[in-house]
Amino acid sequence: MNPLKNHDEVLLRQVNPLHMEDGEPSSQAFWPHRDIDEGQLSVDRSTLTTAANAHALFTTAKPNGFGGASEGTWGLTVGECTTEGLSSREDPVAATAATPANPAHAVVDFAAHTKSKRPRTRRNSARSSFG
Amino acid sequence: MSIEMKDCPQCGANRIRTTVSICDTCEISNRYEERIDELEKALAKHEARWRLQTVRERLNLLAKAPPGWADGEGLTPAPAVVARAWDVIARLLADCPDIARPKLYPTPEGEVQAEWSTKRYAVEVLFRRTGTIEAVATDLAHVDADDDEESFAANAVDKDDAGRLAVWLRTFLGKADGGRTES
């Protein structure tokens, strides 16, 4: 898949309600912690969707959405990922019988980083886009 | 018969009778000071109680996280982990009013993460199922630098003594903006 090169493009990330306290997300929200993530952090591209639409698609029940839980959408730019030594690339998702298509889907690649030496995505620079 | 007068020994600005100790202005001022001291002590006790109550409520919430809370994955934090997090954080906040209340989050492994943010550091303390406490501080101004890491054995920090953890935290929370993350 093609790497994302526009450093100003905002990557939209859904944050689990339990990873929020007093409006502040855990650093875990920006780390691919699930086994099925395989070191790839799921995000949506702001050039192809909006924070509100990304949130709606993620939280809407299947099969019209992905049935996930999200307190809100946070954003970080491609450039901020690059600064942290992380590459990002487009990763559109095709529709299945259980879930809809998501052409705006992209991933930030953490595979080269072990968990103990993971780059700390800067929560201070992440922007609350919707929530 | 003349009334004997003297300068107020406290302020020196007012003349008072020799039979009284201080002038009315100073007496009222002293009363205000005493009352302010009383109120400040009561407020500090109230704030300490509020900090602990907030932590307790948050941990109670985390303890109820359903299995699969992280989009199908994610264990419910183990009761022993939650209890240990409470013991240590309560001791830390009770003994160290200068240390901000951390934000508390569950991990998918069923453990508890405490986080502090300053302008310069991201500080994380992880309460493991093994009973150990792992602490990591990341210098946000130098992302290529190695993290400062510390591990505390189960018996090194407990409900009676969080001193070692407090010393470590102050190394980072005391810098830049003092680690005031609670809102």
Side-chain angles (χ1 to χ4, degrees), chain A:
Chain A
M1 293 293 178
N2 294 325
L4 302 181
K5 295 179 179 176
N6 178 1
H7 282 200
D8 294 328
E9 181 171 14
V10 177
L11 302 176
L12 306 168
R13 173 71 179 166
Q14 303 303 320
V15 178
N16 187 287
L18 284 172
H19 278 160
M20 294 284 290
E21 185 182 0
D22 297 337
E24 189 172 331
S26 164
S27 59
Q28 295 179 77
F30 303 96
W31 169 256
H33 51 73
R34 299 178 308 172
D35 291 339
I36 60 172
D37 291 329
E38 297 181 331
Q40 312 295 305
L41 184 74
S42 278
V43 292
D44 292 313
R45 301 177 59 188
S46 64
T47 53
L48 299 178
T49 188
T50 64
N53 286 341
H55 181 266
L57 185 65
F58 185 77
T59 57
T60 298
K62 297 176 181 178
N64 295 322
F66 289 89
S70 172
E71 185 81 358
T73 305
W74 284 64
L76 62 161
T77 65
V78 171
E80 286 169 335
C81 292
T82 302
T83 301
E84 303 283 351
L86 300 165
S87 62
S88 51
R89 64 178 187 277
E90 58 185 35
D91 184 40
V93 173
T96 69
T99 55
N102 182 7
H105 189 254
V107 292
V108 180
D109 189 353
F110 281 70
H113 301 273
T114 65
K115 192 167 186 178
S116 63
K117 290 292 179 187
R118 68 194 190 197
R120 304 294 165 131
T121 310
R122 299 184 197 195
R123 283 171 298 146
N124 289 346
S125 64
R127 292 185 294 275
S128 179
S129 309
F130 176 81

Side-chain angles (χ1 to χ4, degrees), chain B:
Chain B
M1 183 177 169
S2 64
I3 299 172
E4 293 187 23
M5 304 289 284
K6 64 179 180 182
D7 290 337
C8 171
Q10 185 164 311
C11 67
N14 296 321
R15 297 285 288 170
I16 58 174
R17 294 185 183 191
T18 55
T19 53
V20 297
S21 58
I22 56 176
C23 68
D24 290 345
T25 303
C26 286
E27 188 174 341
I28 292 169
S29 175
N30 287 353
R31 283 186 196 170
Y32 274 128
E33 291 296 327
E34 288 172 11
R35 184 64 179 143
I36 288 171
D37 286 345
E38 287 174 12
L39 292 172
E40 283 182 342
K41 286 176 185 171
L43 184 61
K45 192 178 289 184
H46 173 77
E47 287 180 348
R49 187 171 297 169
W50 176 82
R51 277 155 51 100
L52 294 179
Q53 183 179 331
T54 304
V55 167
R56 190 65 188 238
E57 289 172 357
R58 178 67 180 170
L59 286 173
N60 285 344
L61 178 71
L62 302 191
K64 294 174 185 169
W69 59 267
D71 301 324
E73 296 186 14
L75 300 174
T76 300
V81 172
V82 174
R84 177 147 171 74
W86 164 250
D87 283 344
V88 171
I89 294 171
R91 172 54 55 200
L92 187 70
L93 298 185
D95 290 349
C96 311
D98 60 307
I99 292 179
R101 176 176 61 85
K103 306 295 188 207
L104 299 168
Y105 309 101
T107 74
E109 294 80 17
E111 299 172 326
V112 171
Q113 175 201 39
E115 282 196 335
W116 290 260
S117 296
T118 73
K119 289 176 182 171
R120 181 166 174 186
Y121 290 99
V123 180
E124 174 184 346
V125 170
L126 196 58
F127 294 89
R128 294 289 195 190
R129 284 175 171 266
T130 57
T132 59
I133 296 173
E134 292 179 9
V136 181
T138 302
D139 187 343
L140 298 174
H142 302 90
V143 291
D144 293 331
D146 286 341
D147 292 343
D148 288 282
E149 299 183 24
E150 184 69 78
S151 181
F152 301 92
N155 61 357
V157 178
D158 58 30
K159 65 182 177 61
D160 297 318
D161 184 7
R164 287 183 58 193
L165 179 59
V167 168
W168 186 86
L169 285 170
R170 285 195 180 105
T171 306
F172 306 100
L173 303 185
K175 297 176 181 177
D177 60 359
R180 304 305 297 181
T181 63
E182 58 195 324
S183 53

